[in-house]
Amino acid sequence: MTDPVPFHALSTDEALTRLNARPTGLTRDEAARRLAEHGPNRLPEARSRGPVLRFLAQFDNVLIYVLLAAAVVTAVLQHWVDTGAILAVVLTNAVIGFIQEGKAEAAMGAIRSLLAPKAAVLRDGQRVSLPGADLVPGDIVLLEAGDKVPADLRVIEARGLAAQEAILTGESVPVEKDTRPVAADAALGDRRSMLWSGTLVTQGTARGLVVATGQGTEIGRIGGLLAGVEQLTTPLVQQMDHFARWLSLLILLISALLLAYGYFVGHQDFGALFMAVIGVAVAAIPEGLPAVMTITLAIGVQAMARRNAIVRRLPAIEAIGSVSVICTDKTGTLTRNEMVVAAAETAEGAFTVSGDGYEPRGKITPAGDLARLARAAALCNDAALHERDGQWFVEGDPMEGALLAFAGKVGEVPPATRLDAVPFDSRHRYMAVLTGDGLTLVKGAPERVLRMCGDIDHAHWHDRAEALARQGLRVLAFAERQQAGDRIDAKALEGGLRFIGLLGLIDPPRAEAIEAVAECRRAGIRVKMITGDHAGTAAAIAAQIGLAQPGRVLTGADLDKLDDAQLALEVMDVDVFARTSPEHKLRLVTALQANGLSVAMTGDGVNDAPALKRADAGIAMGLKGSEAAKEAADLVLADDNFASIAAAVREGRTVWDNLRKVISWTLPTNAGEASVVVLALLLGLALPVTPVQILWINLITAVTLGLALAFEPTEAGTMSRPPRPRNAPILTGGLVWQVILIAGLFVAATFGLFNYAIDQGYSLAMAQTMAMNMIVVLEIFNLFFIRNMHGTSLTWEAVRGTKVVWTVVILVTAAQFAVTYLPPLQAILGTEAVPFGYGLLIVGIGVVFFAVVEIEKQIRLGLRDRPGGTEESA
Ligand code: ATP
């Protein structure tokens, strides 16, 4: 017997009654009971492909098609051993790919859960912040601009409220909302008394009564899903994917030509020739490359998450590694956002305030009457202080928490009802409330509040505010007005307020931010502070933090006077921007980009979204940031800390390096193997390695060894290199040279050893076994060479390597011993037991190879270090 009248058509009281709720919220017990009854407020997750499909997808690859075709051909030719070997390799390769991909997807899934939104809710009459999943019908939710609506809500209190409901209605213009009921048959977009789950609050504040959760919400009903796991890819990986595809086709074409040449011109036996050509294709195609690159990304994402930087959009992992300028907020990012009121000034004089943290006890000297200031501080305030085990915590804005603590130090402030309020907005920079006894209390930026005050000495108070700011204090001014009526008339405030006084708040810089700024500067990255705070405060904090040019400050008003061309010039010489609004951030990003810089920009408010989207790497604050900012951002900082940005840059550079290492290792190795076979075919010589051996090398050992590079730690000196240029290509001349050099050395070593063994009178099978082992040994030495792309490999650090490197080397070595010496495997791979002395010779040749490539690298790095060179190898 459900009531036919829908919630949007009920009055707020009727809605509360229907859900047996009160404006002060549910009790904790009642909420727990309802949670058990209704279940968590969660939408079903987008289902990812099932394991069977995921496994089958591993076979969707040009090389695998070729191999399957080859298996059929060898079966027709009745070369059963070859058929078996090919199928075994195909299967092993698919299993390895399947496991790797599963790990990567799981990593991304775990990251997503870190981003689960929270909601501010009233429970037992107190404001608490809860995971959105814990909401139940009857809960009272508090919302402000930038919040994502966590469930379907009946609005029971609204101030200047508007929401963007595009995900439900397709309408991108925000809709104004209030508490009045609407017609029962109103369309979804016209139900202005409701806020819908998943939509964004674009302005104002609200209280809402939860009327539906989880799949009962509108978005749940139309089958909305949580954002699924994003595909693990970035521009670079996509580029390489394409490259690998085209390369595969090219190689197949060349293989077909080789087949035709060998058969029609060389008159070779078709069966053997066919297998040899398959060997060339397998050797040359970098089949493991895309998979290993994906793993590299997944590991990078996890490493960043450990450093409190959560990647929302994967391409950002590349972008953050290349930033050349970081624009950062001040409050909470460079500073601790643990505020304490330290100074007060009224017409009576100046006072110092003592006490630590949010504890509302401390001394104010000299003694004086600060009751009016305390009343304004306590009542024009949305925060709450809680005590737990002797510790004081703030719920809400830390600055407002500090104001409550200050009021507590002055004395008890009697509570008052609130008739109306103008919420704080970074554009008008003040907040006002109207209490039950007709008192309008205003707090805000001093120049803004002073402008609203009547007959006082403006010049004097501006000077006083300036003096406090110069000490690095955040300054607030307070004013009041007695009025009639129950609405605040914003126009009547202008010029009609009575000034009360100023408060100065300490917000100390974070020690780790000072360190991180220095690290960024060593890494050739400029750091710029963009804050809504006063110019004096900003400059003082900038000097404490160690910005390069803390003295020059441009304010939002200064920026408005510059056109885009002038701004593009100025922006290079100024590191501190004060009293800015979100629109200025967008202009600054554009101006910096016009100088060819790669920009990281932080943001927290709903209006920061355009700047975050425009930046090369948009970074939102995880703690104080709005959902709107998080959704627009590429990265979210779990701890709001500037040091985490520097850590993300470091990890981003590491990922880029590792991707390059994976590529620089794979391509020359493939080219080397392929050259050996092609040369033998063209010269009509015996193959130094058999096709089945090539399958083994390429699909088993190479993928295993290459994977080690995905786990490479940050190279020393990574943060003392300048940023790589924007859009730096990956396939550079240097890489091409490396491919040629290493492929040449592979050919020389393998052919040399093979011919030497034949000359010594060994059998063909024995010589081939030696050549196969030679290739694997070269791969291992090449791995140690590539690990230190920017430095020398001849340090203890480099030799000690990492656990992963040694694990794969030991695994691969053991596997090589097995295929060389175990009879059953010998039968499949056509190998023979290599004499011990030759084993040593093979390793010896590996050492010579390593010496040659290492010396070549040192010469190359040395040349770069000459005058005019970069800091690359510092
Ligand atoms: P950032 O985080 O970018 O460093 P900010 O947090 O200092 O900037 P805003 O939040 O835009 O910048 O605040 C700008 C100014 O508005 C502050 O310096 C302060 O004077 C005033 N202000 C901030 N919060 C409030 C508030 N809740 N009520 C009244 N005034 C406020």
Side-chain angles (χ1 to χ4, degrees), residues 151-235:
D152 282 359
L153 308 175
R154 172 69 171 88
V155 180
I156 59 168
E157 200 181 292
R159 293 208 169 81
L161 183 64
Q164 206 261 30
E165 303 183 329
I167 63 157
L168 271 184
T169 60
E171 172 60 60
S172 62
V173 179
V175 188
E176 285 179 15
K177 300 279 180 176
D178 57 42
T179 56
R180 281 169 299 168
V182 297
D185 59 355
L188 200 65
D190 296 329
R191 298 183 194 165
R192 294 177 179 244
S193 55
M194 300 291 292
L195 284 169
W196 308 112
S197 181
T199 62
L200 276 176
V201 178
T202 54
Q203 63 173 48
T205 56
R207 282 178 186 220
L209 168 72
V210 175
V211 300
T213 60
Q215 279 189 281
T217 59
E218 286 301 322
I219 185 83
R221 233 173 291 169
I222 62 169
L225 295 172
L226 284 185
V229 177
E230 198 183 351
Q231 273 224 309
L232 265 169
T233 187
T234 71

Side-chain angles (χ1 to χ4, degrees), residues 327 329 585 601-605 608 612 618-622 625-626 629-630 633:
C327 298
D329 288 359
K585 285 191 172 180
M601 169 63 86
T602 67
D604 49 18
D608 288 339
L612 292 178
I619 304 172
M621 300 301 150
S626 63
K630 288 184 205 168

Side-chain angles (χ1 to χ4, degrees), residues 330-331 399-400 424 426 443-445 474 531-533 579 624:
K330 171 178 70 70
T331 311
M399 183 182 77
E400 296 195 330
F424 171 74
S426 55
K443 77 168 191 294
R474 186 178 174 91
T531 173
D533 218 337
R579 286 293 188 238
K624 67 166 187 166

Side-chain angles (χ1 to χ4, degrees), residues 328-333 335 339 380 382 397 399-400 403 423-432 442-447 449 474-477 529-534 537 579-582 585 602 604 608 624:
T328 170
D329 288 359
K330 171 178 70 70
T331 311
T333 311
T335 65
M339 301 210 196
C380 186
D382 288 323
D397 179 3
M399 183 182 77
E400 296 195 330
L403 298 180
F424 171 74
D425 184 310
S426 55
R427 272 174 296 196
H428 58 236
R429 296 205 181 88
Y430 73 88
M431 163 180 177
V442 177
K443 77 168 191 294
E447 67 277 15
V449 174
R474 186 178 174 91
V475 191
L476 281 180
M529 176 198 283
I530 302 182
T531 173
D533 218 337
H534 190 281
T537 315
R579 286 293 188 238
T580 53
S581 11
K585 285 191 172 180
T602 67
D604 49 18
D608 288 339
K624 67 166 187 166

Side-chain angles (χ1 to χ4, degrees), residues 66-91 269-279 282 687 689-696 699 825-831:
V66 172
L67 286 179
L68 292 177
V72 173
V73 174
T74 49
V76 170
L77 296 176
Q78 300 195 333
H79 291 194
W80 299 117
V81 175
D82 290 345
T83 315
I86 293 175
L87 290 180
V89 160
V90 166
L91 209 62
D269 166 54
F270 182 79
L273 184 65
F274 179 78
M275 279 304 290
V277 168
I278 291 295
V282 172
L687 293 183
V689 277
T690 69
V692 174
Q693 290 166 355
I694 289 185
L695 278 180
W696 164 259
L699 292 178
L825 293 176
Q826 284 178 337
I828 297 176
L829 282 142
T831 49

